Amino acid sequence: MFITFEGADGSGKSTQMNLLKNYFDKHNVNYIFTRDPGGTELGALLRNILLNYEGNIFPTCELFLYLADRAQHVDEKIIPALKEGKIVLCDRYIDSTAAYQGYARGLDINQIKLLNDIATHFLCPDVTFLFDIDTDVAMKRLGGNRDRLESETKEFHQKVRQGYLEIAANN
């Protein structure tokens, strides 16, 4: 089973994932935990660029960095774990790209879907948990030490939230 956790920064994804991981550990469930971006060695390098690069990253370049990470992640880690019969818990996946790069950055959602399908070999989660939160509350939870995406404007984060809600409504 492939389970993804989606939602805006500050929505409580990490807290809920940790609760599920603790439950799985207590009950000897065969699983792996991973994150997107950053679930592989190459992905960790790309994650560092995506979250900490101080220069300008144009939206299309940002999209392709996420897709490069995802392609590596799916082939190197997610598919092999699923073939071994493990449950895969993943912090973010394709919905994040649609919400952040599509709805918030304004890139074409249909193109993003096509590119995600190519990068993932059409691998979709069995279950996705979406954590929704008011943008003002989420921003307060983030505090002052924010990465490149967390530092975006309130309007950007409102678009991300609306994107997630539209994705959920359509799926």
Side-chain angles (χ1 to χ4, degrees):
M1 181 174 271
F2 181 27
I3 303 171
T4 58
F5 293 77
E6 296 281 3
D9 295 311
S11 65
K13 289 184 322 306
S14 298
T15 299
Q16 297 305 314
M17 280 186 296
N18 286 332
L19 290 170
L20 185 56
K21 286 168 29 182
N22 290 340
Y23 177 86
F24 281 176
D25 288 340
K26 185 176 180 181
H27 292 86
N28 298 314
V29 175
N30 190 13
Y31 78 97
I32 66 162
F33 167 75
T34 189
R35 66 183 181 182
D36 179 334
T40 64
E41 187 176 332
L42 175 60
L45 296 170
L46 293 170
R47 179 183 180 88
N48 185 51
I49 293 168
L50 284 161
L51 299 182
N52 300 307
Y53 182 71
E54 294 181 13
N56 186 29
I57 301 178
F58 289 93
T60 304
C61 179
E62 183 181 70
L63 171 65
F64 279 106
L65 289 170
Y66 279 108
L67 291 165
D69 167 79
R70 187 161 300 126
Q72 183 74 18
H73 192 203
V74 165
D75 286 339
E76 181 178 326
K77 197 163 196 177
I78 296 174
I79 289 175
L82 291 170
K83 284 182 178 178
E84 292 172 11
K86 295 178 181 177
I87 294 174
V88 176
L89 304 178
C90 191
D91 181 355
R92 297 194 184 280
Y93 192 56
I94 58 178
D95 291 343
S96 287
T97 304
Y100 281 82
Q101 282 68 52
Y103 288 92
R105 296 268 191 242
L107 297 179
D108 184 277
I109 298 297
N110 292 323
Q111 289 179 348
I112 291 172
K113 181 182 178 344
L114 173 65
L115 294 168
N116 266 320
D117 287 345
I118 293 167
T120 65
H121 312 289
F122 296 89
L123 178 66
C124 291
D126 296 297
V127 177
T128 295
F129 293 104
L130 172 61
F131 297 90
D132 181 37
I133 188 170
D134 177 79
T135 302
D136 289 327
V137 174
M139 301 300 280
K140 287 178 187 170
R141 285 184 178 183
L142 293 175
N145 189 16
R146 298 180 183 184
D147 65 35
R148 188 178 70 82
L149 287 173
E150 292 168 344
S151 298
E152 287 286 352
T153 65
K154 179 180 175 181
E155 178 186 25
F156 175 87
H157 289 285
Q158 288 171 327
K159 289 178 182 178
V160 168
R161 180 179 184 221
Q162 282 310 118
Y164 275 125
L165 294 175
E166 284 189 39
I167 292 165
N170 292 331
N171 292 290

